[in-house]
Amino acid sequence: MKIRKGDRVVVLAGKDKGKEGTVTRTLPKADKVVVEGVNVAKRHRKPRKAMEQGGIIDTPMPIDISNVAILDPDGKPTRIGYRVDADGTKVRVSRRTGAELK
């Protein structure tokens, strides 16, 4: 999985096409990611404890990894490649510009 938690991504397809957000969680077995503010569903929650509040809560749902692209440092979507440095460390790089991704 090339996209990691904390990456800035843009949605390429679906109802939230064009929205940007940060990956809050990755689900590698299902090839899905949870992006902050994208694919939000309403969930009805019951109060479980005496002082807990119930109600309708907005919950971000997973989106398929193929529908998101990481953002380049200049703010445009790109694909991810890898480069091995001289000291043997593997680094993620942008396919568009060749810039190193954090």
Side-chain angles (χ1 to χ4, degrees):
M1 204 171 203
K2 294 180 178 182
I3 294 178
R4 298 179 189 157
K5 182 179 175 180
D7 284 343
R8 216 58 207 129
V9 295
V10 64
V11 179
L12 302 175
K15 67 177 183 175
D16 294 318
K17 183 178 179 177
K19 283 189 182 178
E20 295 179 11
T22 307
V23 176
T24 56
R25 202 168 138 210
T26 60
L27 306 164
K29 287 184 181 177
D31 272 343
K32 292 180 184 277
V33 290
V34 177
V35 182
E36 182 181 308
V38 174
N39 197 24
V40 177
K42 303 246 184 224
R43 291 283 174 238
H44 294 73
R45 260 185 84 183
K46 214 175 181 180
R48 298 287 175 201
K49 299 175 186 166
M51 298 302 290
E52 193 177 39
Q53 183 96 17
I56 302 170
I57 297 164
D58 290 334
T59 308
M61 300 301 285
I63 187 170
D64 201 81
I65 195 122
S66 65
N67 293 334
V68 297
I70 195 163
L71 289 174
D72 229 3
D74 63 355
K76 293 185 179 175
T78 184
R79 288 179 294 169
I80 302 170
Y82 290 100
R83 180 182 66 220
V84 179
D85 287 338
D87 60 346
T89 57
K90 192 173 174 182
V91 181
R92 293 191 308 165
V93 293
S94 163
R95 291 280 183 147
R96 231 177 103 258
T97 60
E100 213 173 282
L101 299 170
K102 61 174 178 86

